[in-house]
Amino acid sequence: MRLSRYFLPILREAPREAEIVSHRLMLRAGMLRQESAGIYAFLPLGLRVLNKICAIVREEQNRSGAIELLMPTIQSAELWRESGRYEAYGKEMLRIEDRHEREMLFGPTNEEMITEIFRAYVRSYKDLPLNLYHIQWKFRDEVRPRFGLMRGREFLMKDAYSFDFDQAGAEHSYNKMFVAYLRTFARMGLKAIPMRADTGPIGGNLSHEFIILASTGESEVFCHKDYLEMAVPPADVNFDDVDGLKQIFGQWTAQYAATSDMHEAAEFAKVPADKQVSARGIEVGHIFYFGTKYSEPMKAVVAGPDGKETPIHGGSYGIGPSRLVAAIIEASHDDAGIIWPEPVAPFKVALLNLKQGDAATDGACEQMYQELTAKGVEVLYHDRDERPGAKFATADLIGLPWQVMIGPRGLAEGKVEVKKRADGSKELMSPAAAVDLLT
Ligand code: ATP
Ligand code: MG
Ligand code: MG
Ligand code: MG
């Protein structure tokens, strides 16, 4: 992409309305535009990151055996009356009336709708287990929408729903999502810790929030330090291996980790003092086993081996891709700007032309741009007529993992300069070596 033909509205000044660094940087880097309180337009650079995050989420969901579909954003109130949640949900639900005075709503989540889809088609235990997910916009009329994408009113969610014949099956489904989540967040360069979370009126202890430690997080959390160094399961983990997944789950829940709702000071005190982490955190995912909470009132039943109909055991599993854009920046930035982990970076390389209009420099940049692009590398070519200083600042602000700087001084010796954004290290090398390094 040539910057001269792109849409990247960089702001030099930090906007006053932004309270936390990720919100500030997203606005300055031209990724995001607020349209109403808690409602945002993703500008092209922001959308590229969101799409990369969704691609990783999708790959790991698919790998675990979950199946993608797409449900609508608008739902009927009728469905929610069946589960008893229409009244209970309260003011966070955006209620809408259509021209026929039918009560509708903008979905804050999809348990009811997926249960309706399930019960329409599935009749036998032989069709289980099943896990269906989608990545769809949600609306929650949050009391305090704030911190940009972190707590939006309209936000993107990946929500998966599992259906099993019995509790043992449901636990395995839960473990599949647990393992998929460990991998998903690690691939984004994040250290997400599964923490015991409140299961509300359902009881039991099968609910975990996946939390990123960050001083700007809205949750108060307590955990064992060792979680920060634990290795996540490999890509070839066998999702059908019931005991294998149980073992991974066991390993990742053996040490203390709880949000403030579930915190037990006496238990936490048993963690060695130098291993106690008491911090703020961002909830980026949440998994939940809820048994027959929806299948009973909504009559989602299957016939068992004996022909008897029983309500299925369900779970739901959320990830916030739009919140993740912000969470990744909270976890990875410096004074100059964003530092994208490569797997979610909007482009891999910023190519900086340090003397626009100089024939040799323009030519060398053009060749580098063509070669990298031809090899499938995503390059943002800064080809505008701006001073090198301004180009350096923009490149650091938008935080692409690599910068290739080409100017007359280096070219005189046949060299270009390659800078790694993460640690600022710079190296002079031949254009061919730079292409090698970046492909
Ligand atoms: P929170 O405690 O932050 O209000 P929640 O517990 O209400 O979140 P869930 O119902 O568990 O959220 O939804 C699943 C995921 O959706 C969350 O883990 C989070 O990543 C994301 N999410 C929830 N609310 C928002 C929001 N207002 N803006 C952006 N992402 C959100
Ligand atoms: Mg909430
Ligand atoms: Mg929560
Ligand atoms: Mg939650």
Side-chain angles (χ1 to χ4, degrees), residues 12 352 382 386-396:
R12 289 282 160 231
L352 309 188
H382 202 327
E386 275 178 30
R387 286 176 304 103
K391 293 191 179 185
F392 297 147
T394 298
D396 281 351

Side-chain angles (χ1 to χ4, degrees), residues 49 84 100 120 124 130 132 145 187 198 207 227 275 280 287 293 301 331 374 390 397:
V49 177
H100 306 294
S124 163
L130 190 60
L132 300 170
R187 282 186 59 188
D198 200 359
S207 179
Y227 280 116
K275 296 280 192 183
R280 316 262 336 152
I287 60 177
K293 177 175 178 182
V301 297
L397 172 63

Side-chain angles (χ1 to χ4, degrees), residues 140 209 283 285-286:
R140 293 182 185 177
E209 284 174 16
E283 178 190 330
H286 192 170

Side-chain angles (χ1 to χ4, degrees), residues 201-234:
I202 316 290
N205 56 7
L206 264 190
S207 179
H208 289 86
E209 284 174 16
F210 286 75
I211 302 274
I212 308 293
L213 302 185
S215 57
T216 47
E218 294 185 277
S219 311
E220 195 185 359
V221 301
F222 306 86
C223 70
H224 195 293
K225 202 174 180 178
D226 285 0
Y227 280 116
L228 293 167
E229 303 307 326
M230 249 180 231
V232 305

Side-chain angles (χ1 to χ4, degrees), residues 75 77-86 89 93 109 112:
Q75 309 186 17
E78 220 32 60
L79 210 48
W80 285 67
R81 289 214 168 87
E82 281 192 47
S83 70
R85 281 211 293 182
Y86 188 61
Y89 212 92
M93 179 185 278
T109 178
E112 283 78 0

